[in-house]
Amino acid sequence: MTHAGFIRTLPLIALVVLMTFTSLVATPAWSQSSSSDTQQGTPSGAGMQAGAAVSTILYFPFKAAFAIGGGIVGGLAYLFSGLNEQTAKSIWVPSMYGTYVITPEHLTGDRSVRFLGVATDDTATGSSSTPAVEPAR
C-alpha cells in the first residue's frame, strides 16, 4: 500500500476503531449479571475477560497519549506560570490519573471508567479551596 493509499483509508480505519470502542463501552447496558464474582470460571466470565482485554488494547493507547500530552502541557504550564505547581497539577491530575486498564468490573458496570482523573487527598497540596476535578460524562 502506498502512502497516499494509506492516507485515503485512514478515516475508515478511525471509524472502525471508534465503532468498536463504542460498542465495547456500551457492553454494561447489555450485561445480565451485576457481579463478575459469580462469573469466574464460567464461559461467560471468560468472555468478559476477553472483552476486557480487547477493550484495554483499544482504550489504552488513547489514554496513554492523553496522559503523555497532559504531562508535556502541564510541564510547560509549570514553566510559563513561574513554577506554580498548582497550575501544573490542574493539568496533570485530570490527564495522568484515571483508568488505564479495563477490567470485567468496568464492563459489567460495577466500576466506572474514568478517562479523566480525580484528585485524591494525597495529591492535594493542602489547600482546602482546591476543588476536585470531575470526570467528563
Side-chain angles (χ1 to χ4, degrees):
M1 179 182 294
T2 65
H3 183 66
F6 177 75
I7 297 296
R8 278 184 258 153
T9 60
L10 194 57
L12 179 61
I13 294 169
L15 180 64
V16 169
V17 169
L18 181 64
M19 288 173 54
T20 304
F21 181 70
T22 303
S23 68
L24 291 172
V25 171
T27 302
W30 300 319
S31 177
Q32 293 182 3
S33 175
S34 62
S35 175
S36 63
D37 293 338
T38 61
Q39 294 181 357
Q40 287 189 354
T42 65
S44 178
M48 291 301 283
Q49 290 283 343
V54 170
S55 298
T56 298
I57 290 169
L58 295 173
Y59 171 79
F60 181 79
F62 294 107
K63 176 59 182 174
F66 186 74
I68 291 168
I72 293 168
V73 171
L76 291 172
Y78 179 70
L79 291 175
F80 291 125
S81 67
L83 306 180
N84 184 340
E85 187 176 334
Q86 194 59 32
T87 300
K89 281 188 174 184
S90 70
I91 298 169
W92 287 333
V93 170
S95 64
M96 292 181 171
Y97 286 66
T99 305
Y100 282 83
V101 176
I102 305 297
T103 63
E105 290 82 18
H106 290 116
L107 298 179
T108 59
D110 294 337
R111 184 182 222 183
S112 63
V113 175
R114 292 186 179 264
F115 188 80
L116 297 178
V118 177
T120 62
D121 292 336
D122 296 340
T123 60
T125 60
S127 171
S128 61
S129 63
T130 305
V133 180
E134 291 295 320
R137 297 183 196 262

